[in-house]
Amino acid sequence: MYHLKCIECGAEYSKDEVIYTCRKCDGLLDVIYDYSSIKIDMEKLKTECPSVWKYAKLLPIEREPVTIREGGTPLYKCNRLAEKIGIKELYVKHEGMNPTGSFKDRGMTVGVTKALELGMNTVACASTGNTSAALAIYGAKAGIPVIVLLPAGKVALGKVAQALMHGAKVLSIRGNFDDALALVRTLCSQEKIYLLNSINPYRLEGQKTIGFEIADQLGFKVPDRVVLPVGNAGNITAIWKGFREFKKLGITDLLPKMTGIQAAGSCPIVNAIKSGAPEITPEEKPETVATAIRIGNPVNAKKALAAIRESGGTAESVTDEEILAAQKDLARLEGIGVEPASAASVAGLKKLVDMGVISRDETVVCITTGHLLKDPQTVIDVCEKPTVVDANIEAIRKAIFGKAE
Ligand SMILES: Cc1ncc(COP(=O)(O)O)c(C=O)c1O
Ligand SMILES: N[C@@H](CCOP(=O)(O)O)C(=O)O
């Protein structure tokens, strides 16, 4: 059994309501379970392969899920990257290996299923790209219409291609992501359209399974620290909830330090953590090459600040140059292809180790949130150009060895 509860005033709402924020104080909502009634079969948990629906007892869904087999993403031990950064034990949880190429699939399998459960037959979101790609695909699987609002000219090519091919109604807004989110919230409040951005607490329930999987893949042990990129700030909140729930149920006995990384041109959470402010000051004109996290007014800021503070973690910003260097390191040292926003986690880890904030002895998991092929244009822009050669062996030898013989 579960219900919704406001994180600010504690008001409670039934699971049958279509509601995104508290009617009394507009606070964010959390899904609260009756944990005493949840019985976990540890033997089954230890033997079954990780996937979102492996943890169905901790998900707020009663019907058959809309699924294309999300989750179960690899947790790579990255020794070469660890050596370069200068820490003992580093893992990368590559969420780009989800079916649509990002962690959003975990949220959408739950969110779109919940839409059907609530009798909502049209879904919508604002997006910097990945949310719209995932919603388009899960909406197609469910057979319902999808509307997506994107900031014009600021969404990576692969993500727009996914939304278009899978049949979403794509609206390109003359404005940024924060403008698009405000508009889609208004639209969903006026029409019978289900909002599937991360302000929807059910979507975050799917994403908390990243925390479950990390513990599961480490033999039900918890790393000292989890480092991840932060944009609208839903994922850091969701993963923290996942770790807390496993501890509450006695599946694990520790909690990791949650560490959020933002781009320097778009870092309201970092500013609040550094200044000790209780709330963020929105960034009016967010800018970064990592378009997925080009977000100035994260809707989940309150939950994210609490996650970072309660866990004893921190937040740091990185420049676009640091992000692009980390993207190359992941690709060339570990064979892990990620989009720029994802590489912010590794760039941030490097910066925090260099600053002495993260100890070299910590066991760290960096989360890479989206696949390299989401944003091919940035790759083309930052990599060496292909060498054009004539179609004969002399020309090829010359291009490789500098001489024909
Ligand atoms: C690839 C990628 N990484 C990171 C993020 C940030 O996640 P969140 O908005 O949950 O903080 C997003 C989207 O926001 C994303 O698409
Ligand atoms: N990067 C996100 C931004 C929207 O975040 P959401 O988690 O609130 O949907 C995207 O891919 O659109």
Side-chain angles (χ1 to χ4, degrees):
M1 283 309 292
Y2 60 91
H3 63 277
L4 299 171
K5 186 171 181 184
C6 173
I7 67 161
E8 304 280 353
C9 73
E12 298 193 348
Y13 299 92
S14 140
K15 66 185 171 63
D16 302 322
E17 291 193 56
V18 174
I19 184 169
Y20 310 105
T21 56
C22 180
R23 278 197 207 99
K24 294 186 178 136
C25 72
D26 204 31
L28 296 167
L29 302 176
D30 250 347
V31 180
I32 307 291
Y33 298 86
D34 171 10
Y35 293 100
S36 63
S37 71
I38 298 173
K39 301 282 169 268
I40 301 289
D41 178 344
M42 268 319 278
E43 275 322 300
K44 201 159 165 251
L45 202 64
K46 280 181 184 161
T47 47
E48 220 174 280
C49 288
S51 76
V52 168
W53 294 102
K54 172 178 178 178
Y55 313 103
K57 282 189 177 169
L58 286 162
L59 294 174
I61 294 295
E62 276 123 314
R63 57 166 281 153
E64 204 45 41
V66 178
T67 173
I68 49 171
R69 301 196 184 176
E70 44 293 315
T73 55
L75 182 73
Y76 298 117
K77 184 143 194 288
C78 292
N79 294 342
R80 293 181 72 203
L81 192 56
E83 194 182 332
K84 176 151 189 191
I85 291 172
I87 60 165
K88 228 164 61 186
E89 205 171 340
L90 172 62
Y91 297 85
V92 169
K93 176 80 171 154
H94 191 15
E95 285 295 296
M97 301 300 272
N98 272 295
T100 85
S102 87
F103 68 95
K104 306 283 179 174
D105 297 359
R106 295 177 185 269
M108 289 307 178
T109 182
V110 172
V112 170
T113 305
K114 180 51 84 178
L116 300 185
E117 212 167 70
L118 290 168
M120 301 293 279
N121 292 323
T122 302
V123 289
C125 69
S127 184
T128 57
N130 283 324
T131 294
S132 61
L135 187 58
I137 291 164
Y138 283 86
K141 181 73 181 170
I144 56 174
V146 174
I147 301 160
V148 306
L149 276 63
L150 309 180
K154 292 291 181 182
V155 179
L157 203 62
K159 305 174 188 181
V160 184
Q162 287 176 297
L164 291 171
M165 176 50 93
H166 290 278
K169 173 83 183 162
V170 178
L171 304 180
S172 236
I173 305 295
R174 291 188 198 91
N176 63 24
F177 168 81
D178 303 297
D179 301 324
L181 183 56
L183 287 164
V184 80
R185 287 181 71 175
T186 304
L187 177 72
C188 292
S189 70
Q190 293 172 347
E191 302 292 331
K192 196 179 176 208
I193 299 175
Y194 197 54
L195 177 62
L196 274 169
N197 278 104
S198 57
I199 194 155
N200 182 324
Y202 291 121
R203 226 201 71 191
L204 294 183
E205 289 300 290
Q207 289 170 217
K208 79 183 177 187
T209 60
I210 297 176
F212 295 164
E213 276 188 20
I214 290 172
D216 194 331
Q217 289 168 314
L218 291 174
F220 298 98
K221 295 228 157 46
V222 167
D224 297 315
R225 190 180 295 270
V226 173
V227 184
L228 72 158
V230 171
N232 221 11
N235 215 25
I236 192 165
T237 312
I239 295 169
W240 175 235
K241 186 169 190 274
F243 280 115
R244 276 187 301 141
E245 285 184 348
F246 258 26
K247 183 160 181 275
K248 200 173 292 183
L249 290 164
I251 297 169
T252 50
D253 51 10
L254 294 171
L255 292 168
K257 295 184 174 73
M258 300 303 296
T259 300
I261 310 298
Q262 296 194 291
S266 180
C267 60
I269 302 250
V270 175
N271 293 339
I273 288 292
K274 291 197 172 183
S275 67
E279 291 186 16
I280 60 151
T281 304
E283 167 65 59
E284 294 300 326
K285 290 195 167 66
E287 209 43 85
T288 167
V289 69
T291 50
I293 52 172
R294 187 175 170 272
I295 295 173
N297 190 12
V299 282
N300 289 294
K302 281 229 170 110
K303 285 183 175 178
L305 290 175
I308 292 167
R309 287 176 172 142
E310 281 169 24
S311 71
T314 189
E316 190 50 80
S317 64
V318 287
T319 64
D320 284 357
E321 292 69 32
E322 288 167 328
I323 289 173
L324 295 172
Q327 187 187 25
K328 269 194 188 157
D329 283 344
L330 275 159
R332 296 179 181 190
L333 296 175
E334 298 292 348
I336 300 174
V338 305
E339 65 169 287
S342 305
S345 57
V346 170
L349 171 64
K350 183 176 182 321
K351 184 169 175 184
L352 289 165
V353 169
D354 290 347
M355 288 162 66
V357 174
I358 295 183
S359 141
R360 295 180 189 278
D361 292 332
E362 288 186 30
T363 299
V364 177
V365 173
C366 278
I367 299 176
T368 54
T369 41
H371 198 277
L372 174 83
L373 295 174
K374 289 282 192 169
D375 188 356
Q377 191 57 55
T378 301
V379 177
I380 303 290
D381 292 346
V382 301
C383 285
E384 309 76 11
K385 301 286 167 275
T387 310
V388 180
V389 292
D390 289 334
N392 64 66
I393 192 66
E394 290 75 24
I396 286 168
R397 291 186 68 85
K398 191 155 183 233
I400 297 170
F401 305 116
K403 54 183 187 209
E405 321 74 62

